[in-house]
Amino acid sequence: MTQMKKIPVCLLASILFLLPVKSIPSTDSGEGREFIRTYLAETAQRKFMWLTGDKKQVSSQILSHSYYKIRVPYWQAENANRSRTAKTAWVLEEIGKEKLITIGVVIEKQKIQAVRILKFRESRGWEVKLPSFTQQFKGSQLNDKNQLTQTVDG
């Protein structure tokens, strides 16, 4: 697998720790817009990653279920080129135990730079919103077995 394919998969791997059942991308939420502004800028360009072929297969293996859409939105810093070092931000929603959890992930140079729980709707488990939980992901990336390189205490 090429390094370019690992960027979006790193995002999907981080969502795995939120007990995924079904994925529902959130692209226009207020929380999402604020997250993008905080980590990129208002001028960030919205792009799409197509989950087809190898990307679809790998993401399904990591999530233990198929991602329900083939087009995943993300944002890229305005002046960034298409290189693997480009800074990107992703806002997705995933079913936790019963309800949606909105998560934001920033990836730069193939590594997770930031994870933020943007909206938590479950009655239990709110501790995942705390920096002590989300900081565990910082600096992590995928290894050759499509697993995060850092241990996450879930």
Side-chain angles (χ1 to χ4, degrees):
M1 175 184 298
T2 67
Q3 289 286 34
M4 192 61 176
K5 290 181 182 177
K6 286 188 178 184
I7 292 174
V9 175
C10 195
L11 163 72
L12 297 175
S14 68
I15 294 170
L16 175 65
F17 293 100
L18 297 176
L19 302 174
V21 175
K22 182 179 175 187
S23 303
I24 304 171
S26 174
T27 58
D28 297 320
S29 70
E31 299 93 359
R33 283 191 299 273
E34 183 60 33
F35 177 77
I36 302 303
R37 277 189 227 120
T38 299
Y39 286 96
L40 293 180
E42 287 202 38
T43 57
Q45 298 175 344
R46 183 176 180 195
K47 298 184 175 203
F48 295 93
M49 179 192 67
W50 290 87
L51 286 180
T52 57
D54 288 345
K55 289 178 188 176
K56 182 176 183 170
Q57 181 181 10
V58 170
S59 65
S60 294
Q61 289 171 351
I62 291 171
L63 292 171
S64 299
H65 65 84
S66 293
Y67 200 76
Y68 98 108
K69 282 195 170 189
I70 63 169
R71 190 174 80 149
V72 181
Y74 68 96
W75 289 259
Q76 186 170 329
E78 181 181 31
N79 295 328
N81 58 23
R82 300 185 92 171
S83 75
R84 294 186 309 232
T85 61
K87 186 174 187 179
T88 58
W90 306 72
V91 176
L92 302 172
E93 288 183 335
E94 184 76 22
I95 298 282
K97 184 172 180 167
E98 298 172 350
K99 299 188 180 188
L100 291 173
I101 299 171
T102 305
I103 182 174
V105 179
V106 176
I107 299 175
E108 185 174 25
K109 298 180 182 175
Q110 303 292 323
K111 294 182 181 181
I112 297 174
Q113 297 300 314
V115 172
R116 186 184 298 169
I117 306 302
L118 303 176
K119 191 156 190 170
F120 187 82
R121 299 168 184 91
E122 297 278 358
S123 59
R124 289 184 239 155
W126 58 267
E127 297 88 351
V128 299
K129 296 183 342 182
L130 297 174
S132 59
F133 179 79
T134 58
Q135 286 296 320
Q136 298 179 87
F137 294 94
K138 189 171 183 176
S140 190
Q141 61 186 32
L142 287 183
N143 63 22
D144 292 337
K145 296 180 181 179
N146 291 325
Q147 297 173 340
L148 291 177
T149 56
Q150 295 175 192
T151 302
V152 175
D153 183 4

